[in-house]
Amino acid sequence: MRQLGPEVLFVELTDRKKQILKVVVEDYVRTAEPVGSKAIAAEMGGVSSATIRNELSDLTELGYLEQPHTSAGRVPSDAAYRLHVDRFLQVPKLSAD
């Protein structure tokens, strides 16, 4: 596995990988359960579970995801959370009132 920071690795991610990573982080935060390829495919639409599994494997190798058990879905790593906060999270601006 490469030992580069999340910002360096982010540029290597395709749009589909970015979208999958966003779905995994948001679903895991919402459910506290590992996220599987079928759930991701259902949410994304138009992408097969097999394609999702290949992308999940790549994201795991890059250090963004972890797999707690062989048959389990994936959970975000610290790098995935950092990337999500830095790139995907939309924080509304507070008014001065």
Side-chain angles (χ1 to χ4, degrees):
M1 182 164 76
R2 300 175 211 179
Q3 296 298 319
L4 302 174
E7 288 301 315
V8 174
L9 293 177
F10 182 76
V11 296
E12 295 180 14
L13 298 181
T14 63
D15 288 340
R16 182 165 51 203
K17 282 183 176 65
K18 292 173 190 174
Q19 185 179 8
I20 290 169
L21 190 58
K22 185 175 188 290
V23 169
V24 171
V25 171
E26 290 174 356
D27 283 3
Y28 186 74
V29 166
R30 187 174 55 252
T31 65
E33 296 286 334
V35 183
S37 59
K38 287 183 183 177
I40 297 167
E43 192 163 332
M44 289 178 63
V47 182
S48 72
S49 292
T51 299
I52 299 291
R53 284 191 297 275
N54 287 332
E55 298 286 16
L56 290 172
S57 177
D58 291 347
L59 288 166
T60 301
E61 286 183 28
L62 288 170
Y64 286 111
L65 299 176
E66 298 170 357
Q67 191 173 17
H69 306 287
T70 304
S71 61
R74 301 302 203 287
V75 298
S77 68
D78 290 343
Y81 286 121
R82 172 55 36 208
L83 183 68
H84 186 76
V85 168
D86 291 346
R87 296 291 180 159
F88 303 127
L89 193 63
Q90 300 293 320
V91 179
K93 295 195 182 249
L94 298 175
S95 65
D97 299 341

